[in-house]
Amino acid sequence: MYFEDIPCYTQFEEVEQIVTKTVLSVCDTAEFLGSDIYGLKDIYDLYGTQYEDIIPAFLDCRHEENDNGMRGNLFRFRLTEPLKRHILDESLTCMFGGEPPLLENLALFQGEKCLFSCVSHEVFSLYHMAEVDDSLKDAVLSVVNDTIKDMPLYGQMQKIALGLKNKAKAELKKEIRILRDLCWYVDEAVHYYFYMKPSEPCDFAKFRQIAKNYLTEETYSVLASLNDFADLQPLPIPKTANEAISNREKFAPQYLQSDYYKQVERELRMLEYIMGL
């Protein structure tokens, strides 16, 4: 089961946590890659780092090249409580040690059976580079569904879904797609040096009109007080690649990373879940 089959995994920390706990609960060993180029070379190099508490869990190390062409040392550990805590703190798709990472590409085992694996540095294709064994699919989806339905946002978006029940599915998908492209409308309006072209042409007045029917009152109120997409990004942004490279700390990141956009994305994803889209 790829992570794209797990509802709301990337939008909600609660979902990420329950998936992690569920997988960890049935595993007994873990394996990480220390890349030949930049990764961990010797287990004792973890002394002095925040991960030194996993050294007693170390079992063995072998050198290998994986199916993705990455070569390095594969460090195998007993899945002790300290190691579980690090994984819970940093997620199943974590990389230990910052940039560059010391350890990456977590795999989890029950005996010799691999129940989870990922290529954690492939951030942009993570859904397809992380998977849980199909034997865990029902258990994972069950706890995820229970977790989502316990979230306050679920009840809020249920009410909004009722107001949209008479819309055709094609119209729902089109309007949600427009709202999800908010980050690109904003970046386009402020002339961010790099952005994706929005899937549909849409001015701010039309966008706001659509959003009123799909977003919570609190989230929509931000849009209601503004006149243009550019008003959502008052911070300085890089307008050339050279500005972005040479003075990155001076500029705001793409609007995709803003707290407001993340909230819009959470509400839309919850709505899609409720409406079976």
Side-chain angles (χ1 to χ4, degrees):
M1 176 178 69
Y2 289 112
F3 272 33
E4 64 184 354
D5 299 319
I6 302 175
C8 303
Y9 181 84
T10 58
Q11 288 80 28
F12 297 101
E13 185 178 341
E14 298 94 325
V15 173
E16 180 187 293
Q17 283 281 300
I18 196 64
V19 171
T20 302
K21 288 178 181 177
T22 301
V23 175
L24 289 176
S25 71
V26 294
C27 295
D28 49 34
T29 56
E31 202 168 75
F32 287 94
L33 173 73
S35 167
D36 273 351
I37 301 172
Y38 49 75
L40 187 71
K41 301 298 187 292
D42 188 288
I43 188 64
Y44 296 108
D45 290 341
L46 290 179
Y47 277 120
T49 74
Q50 63 181 309
Y51 308 108
E52 67 179 10
D53 56 357
I54 71 173
I55 293 174
F58 173 66
L59 292 171
D60 59 60
C61 176
R62 67 187 187 279
H63 192 269
E64 205 169 278
E65 179 174 346
N66 65 19
D67 294 338
N68 300 289
M70 295 186 69
R71 294 178 59 84
N73 294 314
L74 287 174
F75 293 89
R76 196 172 180 93
F77 300 88
R78 286 181 293 107
L79 197 55
T80 57
E81 288 306 313
L83 181 50
K84 287 182 182 179
R85 282 197 300 274
H86 285 299
I87 295 171
L88 282 166
D89 287 344
E90 303 188 37
S91 86
L92 282 173
T93 52
C94 63
M95 295 188 285
F96 284 1
E99 194 175 322
L102 294 170
L103 295 169
E104 59 187 314
N105 296 2
L106 172 65
L108 293 167
F109 297 82
Q110 183 185 66
E112 293 304 312
K113 183 177 183 179
C114 183
L115 295 182
F116 169 81
S117 64
C118 72
V119 182
S120 50
H121 71 278
E122 294 287 354
V123 177
F124 296 108
S125 55
L126 189 55
Y127 269 5
H128 298 289
M129 304 300 282
E131 59 181 313
V132 174
D133 188 80
D134 283 343
S135 64
L136 296 181
K137 183 174 182 177
D138 290 344
V140 167
L141 292 180
S142 177
V143 294
V144 165
N145 289 333
D146 289 345
T147 299
I148 291 172
K149 290 175 182 177
D150 280 342
M151 295 168 63
L153 184 59
Y154 181 84
Q156 292 177 279
M157 300 313 293
Q158 262 192 324
K159 294 175 183 176
I160 290 174
L162 285 174
L164 297 168
K165 65 181 181 180
N166 293 324
K167 280 184 179 281
K169 183 173 285 190
E171 184 180 7
L172 285 168
K173 287 184 175 181
K174 178 181 177 179
E175 292 186 334
I176 288 174
R177 188 165 61 249
I178 287 171
L179 297 179
R180 184 165 277 133
D181 278 352
L182 174 62
C183 55
W184 309 128
Y185 290 119
V186 172
D187 284 350
E188 183 179 40
V190 298
H191 306 295
Y192 202 95
Y193 83 99
F194 172 81
Y195 65 90
M196 295 285 288
K197 189 73 176 174
S199 57
E200 300 278 347
C202 183
D203 61 30
F204 188 72
K206 180 181 177 183
F207 184 94
R208 196 167 53 186
Q209 184 180 5
I210 295 170
K212 189 171 185 179
N213 296 318
Y214 285 82
L215 303 178
T216 62
E217 186 175 339
E218 181 180 0
T219 301
Y220 173 74
S221 68
V222 174
L223 299 173
S225 64
L226 304 176
N227 298 308
D228 189 82
F229 289 116
D231 295 335
L232 284 162
Q233 181 53 287
L235 301 174
I237 53 91
K239 296 188 178 181
T240 67
N242 187 55
E243 283 184 337
I245 294 169
S246 60
N247 294 294
R248 183 178 299 179
E249 66 281 353
K250 283 178 53 179
F251 299 113
Q254 286 185 292
Y255 201 69
L256 178 73
Q257 298 181 47
S258 68
D259 290 339
Y260 183 73
Y261 178 75
K262 289 176 183 176
Q263 180 58 29
V264 169
E265 174 71 9
R266 281 191 287 266
E267 293 186 11
L268 295 175
R269 188 66 190 90
M270 183 68 82
L271 190 61
E272 288 178 319
Y273 172 82
I274 291 167
M275 302 190 78
L277 299 175

